[in-house]
Amino acid sequence: MDKNLIIVGSITYAMKSKEILSSNGILSYIEKITDSIPDAGCGYALNVPHDFDSAYNILKKSGMKIRSVRRGRRP
């Protein structure tokens, strides 16, 4: 399964982002980032296993502050 993260920095932004994506029919999961990522804030991200590009664009258009992204396959 793909592990594509949209790093938002705080639990508040993660919860708001999850709600925005859900209302647009995109499944996402909130994750606490445990490894060190520069500029990750408090270290929260949305794992978006499918429709990553759409999710990213929806959040950008909605004005959510995205700190960074991490895309790739799970080991």
Side-chain angles (χ1 to χ4, degrees):
M1 177 192 293
D2 288 342
K3 182 155 186 171
N4 299 309
L5 300 177
I6 298 175
I7 300 164
V8 292
S10 76
I11 188 66
T12 303
Y13 282 118
M15 291 169 58
K16 288 179 182 178
S17 296
K18 181 175 173 50
E19 185 176 312
I20 290 167
L21 294 179
S22 179
S23 69
N24 283 276
I26 297 176
L27 180 65
S28 64
Y29 305 94
I30 296 174
E31 290 191 9
K32 174 76 172 148
I33 298 174
T34 56
D35 56 340
S36 178
I37 296 177
D39 198 33
C42 295
Y44 283 90
L46 290 168
N47 180 356
V48 184
H50 309 285
D51 300 319
F52 181 83
D53 292 329
S54 296
Y56 179 83
N57 290 328
I58 289 167
L59 292 178
K60 287 298 271 188
K61 287 179 184 175
S62 71
M64 293 305 294
K65 183 178 179 182
I66 296 172
R67 292 179 175 258
S68 63
V69 297
R70 183 189 287 180
R71 298 186 76 170
R73 291 226 170 247
R74 275 191 177 171

